[in-house]
Amino acid sequence: MTNAVNTDSPMADIRPRTLAEKVWDKHLVAKGENGTPDLIYIDLHLVHEVTSPQAFDGLRLAGRPVRRPDLTIATEDHNTPTLAIDRPIADLTSRTQIETLRRNCAEFGIRLHSLGDIEQGIVHVVGPQLGLTQPGITVVCGDSHTSTHGAFGAMALGIGTSEVEHVMATQTLPLKPFKTMAITVNGTLRPGVTAKDIILAVIARIGTGGGQGYVLEYRGSAIRALSMEGRMTICNMSIEAGARAGMVAPDATTYAYLEGRAHAPAGADWDDAVAYWDTLATDEGASFDAEVILDADTLEPFVTWGTNPGQGVSLSDTVPNPADIDDANERSAAERALEYMDLAAGTAMKDIHVDTVFLGSCTNSRVEDLRAAAEIIKGKSIADGVRMLVVPGSARVRIEAEAEGLDKIFLAFGAEWRFAGCSMCLGMNPDQLAPGERCASTSNRNFEGRQGKGGRTHLVSPLVAAATAIRGTLSSPWDLVQDGMLGHDAVPAVFVPAR
Amino acid sequence: MQKFTTVTGVAVPMRRSNVDTDQIIPAVFLKRVTKTGFEDALFYGWRQDPEFILNQPAYQSPKVLVVGADFGTGSSREHAVWALRDFGFDVVLSPRFGDIFRGNSGKQGLLAGQISEDDAETLWGILEANPGIELTVDLVACTASVGELTVSFEVDEYTRWRLLEGLDDIGLTLRDEARIAEFESHREPWRPRTLPARQVNL
C-alpha cells in the first residue's frame, strides 16, 4: 500500500470518489488553471498501422523520439488478410501501410507483433491477453474501441492521430475532466442473453449521443456476474453511445483473469498491485452526474435494424415505423436507415434473411465468444446460401480455440475458419460485404457501407449469430429449442467454460 | 498551425444528423500513410449520388458546413478532419459533435462550433433559400453571420485560444517536461511495461 496514494491530495482521500475520478487523480501530472486542461499521464499506448504513420512522420519532422518505448506496443490488425497470411499482402496500399508500421517501429524502438507472431491480433484483444491492460491504469490507442480496456477498471480512451503523436512525444495528454454516468444493470441474465444484448439495449436507451462527455461506469449484479470477456464486450461499445470511456470496477474475476499473464505483476509486486486495485471501486456516497438503470431479468436478445447502433430492438420485436418517432431528426434518420437497409416498417425481425454471418471483431472474438457459438452449431449444418466467417481476435485465440477443437466444429458446420484481425468489422482487408448483401455481425457498427459498400449490417451477439447461421433468418438459440434442434438445457448462460 | 480569426465563404446546408466518421470518410481510404490529399474521399459514398449537396454547382468551393446533431460520431479516424480540411472546409457548425472528432478538429485547425438546434434550422432555411451564399465565422466573437442574421456558437475556451494563437499542443506540453519527469520518478514498479517482452506462460 505504500505506493498507492502518495500522489493523491489529502482532500481527495476524504471526499467520496468514483472509480473514474480515482484513476484520473492518480495520473494528474499538472492541474489545469484558468480553463486549461489537466495534463494526464498515460501508462500504456497501443499502436496499429492505420492511425500511426502520420504521427511517426510528425515526430520525424520535429526531431522528437518516442519518450517511452517501454510503455508502447504495436500490432498489425486493421489491414491484415485472414487468408494466406504467409504470402505478401496482395493489396498494395495495405501492404505499404503494414510495411510503414514495421519500419517506424524499428526506427523508434517499438515492440511490434507482426502477422505470423502468436501475439498478433486485434489491438484490443492483444493488450488484455498479454496482461498489459491492468486495473487503475490509463490506456490510449488511435482507435475508438480502446474503451474495451475499461473492463479492467482502467481509464481507456480512443484518440486521434494528433494525440497519438502527442502521447508518443510526451507520454501525456491534455484532457478536460469528464462527467460520470452510472449504468446499473440489476438482476440476472437469462440463458441465451449475453453482454452484447446488455450493451445494445443500453445504446438503444440512451442513444448514440447519450454518453457524450461522459465516462460510463457499468455496475450492478448482472455486470458483476459477467466474465472479463463479457465486460470487455460491454466497455468496447461505450463509444457507440458517444461516451469517452466505459469502466467496470476490478474484482476477483479481474484478478483471476490477470494472474499469471506475461505482463501481469508477479510475486510481491502482485500483492502490492492487488492492494492498490482493491482501493479503486467507487466509494459509498460518491455521486455520478447521471444514472441509467436496466433490468437484466427481462432482457431479451437484442439486434439492430438501422444504420447506427442505437437503432435496435428485441429480436422478438418488429422493425419500427418512423412515423411513430416524435423527434424530426430521429424520424428522418430512421426513414433513411430503412431505405438503406431495404426494410419495411412492421416486419418481424425474425423474418429477416441474411446472406452472411460474421463472428469476430474487438467486440466478440475472444475464445469465450467462439465457444458460445460453437456450443450452438456443433453437429449442425449452415443454412443454404449463407456464408459464415469466423475470425479469432488474435493468433493466440485461434490457437487456444484449435486446442479445444472449436475449429473443427466450425469447419464441419460449413463456416470459414480464418486468421486473426479486424476483418469484416470494417472491411479494410478483402473481407467485405458485396453491395446489397445482408449480414448478422457480432461487430460494433452497422453504419452505411461499414462492412463493404452497399452492405447491410445487423449487430447481434455470438449466440444470435450462431442461431442465425443455422436458420438463415435472425434467430436466437431459443428458436432452435422451439424447432427441436437444441435441448432446453443446451442454451448457454453467459459464461461458457472451457470444454 | 495557422492562426484562425475569421473565415468568410460558401456555407453548405446539410440536413442530416448522426453523420458518423465512416460516412465522412470510408475505411478503405484510411490505408494511405500521408496526412493530405483526402479531398476525393470526403463523403465518398454519398458523392456517388448526383443529387448529393456537394455535387451541386452552388457548393463547389465551400468553407463552412452546417449540419445536424451528432456529427463525427463513431471511429476516431482523424482522416475525417483531414478530408474536410482538404476539401476546403474551415468550419463545421452542428448542434452536437462526437467527442473524439471535436478534439481532432481543434488539433488540425478545423473549427467545430456548437450551435443550437433552432439556429441550425434557421441557418438551413437561409442557406437553402440562397444557394451558394457566403457566411462569415468570427472566432473572436464566436458568431456566424449570413445576411441580416447573426448566431453565436460555442467552442471550448482552451481550443479557441489555441486556434486563435495557432499553437502546437506538443510544444505546449513539453514546457511541462520537468513535471512529467517528476511524475515518472514516482511510478510504481508493478505498473505495466511492454519492454523487455516477457514470455507468456499460460
Side-chain angles (χ1 to χ4, degrees), chain A residues 145-170:
Chain A
H145 291 113
T146 308
S147 56
T148 311
H149 306 265
F152 291 79
M155 170 87 69
L157 306 169
I159 57 177
T161 296
S162 293
E163 290 170 311
V164 169
E165 184 182 337
H166 194 283
V167 174
M168 284 174 170
T170 71

Side-chain angles (χ1 to χ4, degrees), chain A residues 251-263:
Chain A
D251 59 13
T253 303
T254 320
Y255 305 159
Y257 178 97
L258 271 171
E259 195 166 13
R261 290 192 183 261
H263 285 271

Side-chain angles (χ1 to χ4, degrees), chain B residues 90-151:
Chain B
D90 291 319
V91 183
V92 182
L93 299 175
S94 163
R96 197 162 58 182
F97 292 95
D99 278 332
I100 303 177
F101 175 86
R102 191 181 47 213
N104 289 343
S105 298
K107 296 184 194 311
Q108 289 297 320
L110 179 76
L111 171 61
Q114 189 167 332
I115 53 177
S116 70
E117 295 265 6
D118 287 346
D119 285 343
E121 196 62 50
T122 310
L123 284 172
W124 283 336
I126 293 172
L127 299 177
E128 283 166 352
N130 307 277
I133 192 171
E134 292 198 335
L135 182 148
T136 295
V137 172
D138 181 343
L139 184 58
V140 178
C142 285
T143 56
S145 309
V146 56
E148 302 288 297
L149 178 78
T150 295
V151 304

Side-chain angles (χ1 to χ4, degrees), chain A residues 285-372:
Chain A
S287 63
F288 291 91
D289 299 301
E291 177 154 22
V292 172
I293 298 174
L294 234 76
D295 181 9
D297 293 326
T298 56
L299 200 64
E300 293 180 46
F302 220 81
V303 294
T304 61
W305 51 266
T307 54
N308 74 55
Q311 292 174 323
V313 290
S314 291
L315 177 59
S316 59
D317 219 326
T318 56
V319 176
N321 189 342
D324 297 338
I325 300 173
D326 291 335
D327 181 87
N329 284 326
E330 291 289 315
R331 185 165 59 241
S332 70
E335 283 164 357
R336 198 190 305 279
L338 289 190
E339 188 185 332
Y340 182 84
M341 293 295 289
D342 191 27
L343 290 172
T347 306
M349 292 305 295
K350 287 188 183 179
D351 286 344
I352 296 173
H353 283 265
V354 304
D355 308 293
T356 296
V357 174
F358 173 59
L359 177 57
S361 88
C362 57
T363 314
N364 283 122
S365 64
R366 296 171 184 85
V367 72
E368 178 186 308
D369 300 310
L370 305 187
R371 268 182 215 136

Side-chain angles (χ1 to χ4, degrees), chain A residues 468-493:
Chain A
T468 300
I470 295 167
R471 298 178 95 236
T473 49
L474 292 177
S475 305
S476 91
W478 290 109
D479 296 311
L480 298 170
V481 173
Q482 264 191 349
D483 292 350
M485 295 183 75
L486 196 69
H488 197 276
D489 298 336
V491 178

